[in-house]
Amino acid sequence: MSDIDTAGILAQFEISGTVREVKPLGNGLINDTYRVVTEPNGAPDYVLQRINNAIFQDVDLLQHNIEVVTAHIRRKLEAAGTPDIGRRVLQFVKARSGKTYYRDEAGRYWRVMVFIPDSVTHEVVTPEHAYDCGKAFGNFEKMLVDVPEQLGETIPDFHNMELRIRQLREAVQNDAAGRLAEVRDIVDELERDADEMCQAERLYREGRLPKRICHCDTKVNNMLFDRDGQVLCVIDLDTVMPSFIFSDYGDFLRTAANFTAEDDPDLSRVGFNEEIFKAFTTGYLESARDFLKPIEVELLPYAVALFPFMQCVRFLTDYLNGDTYYKIKYPTHNLDRTRNQLTLYRTVRQHNDAISTFIHTLL
Ligand code: GN1
Ligand code: MG
């Protein structure tokens, strides 16, 4: 960041206090994030973020979504008399242009938000966290059911399974990296279930399944906790967009309820953690059951399978294309990820009855 004039960038924003220090924050893979320490004491600290506009190509739409969503949540919290609102929803700072972002001379996009004091993030999910995360993500969706404006898709068709299958078929057709022969059996296995896994898109076209405002990147590290372990708020709002609620419910379980990391090459360690599943689902339905339609609840077991399946398709597509999307650390990294997610998918399918039975006990 030595080549970046952070003082010049920060001068474009309406911040209070004097900047004392700017230092890297967090370990996000998409945006670059810094903490801005100010003085005198009493002025808030800030978070400065460079928005990755290679991935999020419409920054104006992105920030518009985020402004609408945070303003709406703030109004809900105020109406409910929630204390300490400054720590329960992100607050973005206006740039001198009146927008909540600034484009510098090099074409880089920046935004600033108020730093939430005394907060921590977690990388690993315990059953207690999983319950709280379920409640918090369910509540996040609940607060957004009546957003007064249409929001755009910050990555168009991000969780559209039909599109992901089409992309896989194209990758198979092109076989750009000459890797098809090696993964033919995986392609065949995925093709057998492709139709079934695309049912959400069909139900949507038939008008039976709604899209709602979802977070679409539900990981435990996208949540702030206070020092006592209470959830403060949901962060990383770039992917907030209309989607099926399965995006939030299923994608959280894909990472949290796998006994191991998504790229662990030792497939004997991959498995479905029922305790985390039960805790997350209990919390999620406590918040979400009043607004979910029966069809959404009925399809929750499908959502648990859909996300390992979709991620497997996405990793395999990238492997066939010669690793153009996901960062890799070694040549077969995407293949290891593919096999890991396929194993998780198969395991989830084996747990299908137990998953359905548990969900019914909560209703
Ligand atoms: C990407 O970079 P990260 O981990 O936040 C991807 C997700 C995938 C995930 C798989 C914008 O997210 O959809 O589930 O990798 N985000 C984007 O690890 O493609
Ligand atoms: Mg994050």
Side-chain angles (χ1 to χ4, degrees):
M1 83 184 240
S2 49
D3 58 323
I4 294 172
D5 171 22
T6 50
I9 293 161
L10 288 164
Q12 297 294 326
F13 288 87
E14 295 170 359
I15 61 175
S16 39
T18 311
V19 175
R20 194 178 72 213
E21 196 190 352
V22 179
K23 53 187 184 188
L25 177 69
N27 53 2
L29 295 179
I30 307 269
N31 300 314
D32 302 328
T33 308
Y34 309 97
R35 173 158 175 191
V36 179
V37 182
T38 65
E39 55 193 5
N41 285 340
D45 282 358
Y46 295 92
V47 175
L48 169 68
Q49 221 169 22
R50 177 179 168 191
I51 304 168
N52 184 331
N53 63 309
I55 292 187
F56 299 103
Q57 296 185 357
D58 189 341
V59 175
D60 207 65
L61 172 97
L62 171 80
Q63 283 304 113
H64 175 74
N65 276 6
I66 291 180
E67 281 171 41
V68 169
V69 160
T70 51
H72 193 72
I73 292 177
R74 183 171 296 274
R75 277 194 298 274
K76 289 265 161 111
L77 296 174
E78 280 165 5
T82 310
D84 205 11
I85 290 179
R87 292 168 77 220
R88 293 199 150 80
V89 60
L90 293 177
Q91 189 185 338
F92 289 81
V93 178
K94 280 219 158 75
R96 312 242 170 242
S97 63
K99 305 257 185 199
T100 54
Y101 65 87
Y102 163 67
R103 186 176 186 270
D104 71 14
E105 275 142 31
R108 292 176 293 223
Y109 287 87
W110 300 90
R111 68 182 164 206
V112 173
M113 61 203 111
V114 178
F115 179 82
I116 296 183
D118 298 318
S119 60
V120 291
T121 54
H122 296 290
E123 291 298 328
V124 177
V125 185
T126 62
E128 298 75 55
H129 286 154
Y131 169 81
D132 291 339
C133 291
K135 271 200 95 151
F137 279 123
N139 200 36
F140 181 81
E141 289 178 347
K142 184 174 172 170
M143 288 192 283
L144 298 175
V145 281
D146 55 352
V147 167
E149 267 187 77
Q150 189 84 28
L151 300 189
E153 297 192 0
T154 57
I155 300 179
D157 286 315
F158 186 42
H159 282 164
N160 181 332
M161 193 61 240
E162 288 177 346
L163 171 82
R164 299 303 181 184
I165 288 286
R166 279 200 300 280
Q167 290 172 331
L168 173 63
R169 288 178 185 158
E170 264 169 52
V172 166
Q173 205 70 43
N174 299 336
D175 193 15
R179 292 167 166 175
L180 179 60
E182 176 191 11
V183 297
R184 187 79 248 187
D185 55 327
I186 305 180
V187 174
D188 292 345
E189 184 172 346
L190 294 172
E191 281 289 356
R192 278 198 291 278
D193 289 354
D195 242 34
E196 187 187 348
M197 287 297 130
C198 290
Q199 61 173 301
E201 298 296 333
R202 286 196 295 275
L203 290 166
Y204 176 68
R205 276 196 296 275
E206 290 163 12
R208 294 167 63 196
L209 183 67
K211 285 194 184 179
R212 304 178 182 279
I213 305 306
C214 297
H215 185 277
C216 296
D217 189 14
T218 47
K219 282 182 272 203
V220 68
N221 65 10
N222 281 338
M223 204 160 255
L224 293 184
F225 294 79
D226 72 11
R227 298 201 188 277
D228 303 331
Q230 300 292 313
V231 175
L232 287 170
C233 63
V234 169
I235 58 170
D236 252 359
L237 305 177
D238 296 322
T239 50
V240 173
M241 63 177 121
S243 191
F244 305 121
I245 53 109
F246 312 146
S247 292
D248 290 349
Y249 178 74
D251 208 22
F252 185 90
L253 290 172
R254 180 184 73 78
T255 52
N258 188 347
F259 281 114
T260 191
E262 68 181 9
D263 63 349
D264 189 342
D266 181 350
L267 300 182
S268 72
R269 286 196 288 245
V270 176
F272 185 65
N273 185 331
E274 278 205 25
E275 201 188 355
I276 297 283
F277 154 75
K278 287 181 175 167
F280 180 75
T281 304
T282 304
Y284 179 74
L285 281 177
E286 268 177 40
S287 304
R289 61 182 300 174
D290 322 339
F291 72 82
L292 292 180
K293 291 176 79 171
I295 192 165
E296 292 172 298
V297 177
E298 211 175 287
L299 287 175
L300 289 177
Y302 155 75
V304 186
L306 174 63
F307 277 83
F309 183 87
M310 188 186 301
Q311 199 60 60
C312 181
V313 168
R314 291 177 68 190
F315 285 146
L316 180 58
T317 302
D318 200 35
Y319 185 65
L320 286 166
N321 286 340
D323 313 309
T324 57
Y325 188 88
Y326 293 107
K327 288 181 188 155
I328 54 161
K329 295 200 173 118
Y330 55 94
T332 53
H333 202 165
N334 271 320
L335 180 59
D336 285 340
R337 291 166 169 155
T338 301
R339 293 204 166 111
N340 178 305
Q341 295 295 289
L342 182 63
T343 307
L344 180 63
Y345 171 69
R346 288 178 186 148
T347 315
V348 167
R349 295 300 299 245
Q350 284 159 10
H351 282 72
N352 185 61
D353 290 350
I355 290 171
S356 296
T357 305
F358 181 75
I359 290 170
H360 279 103
T361 62
L362 297 175
L363 302 176

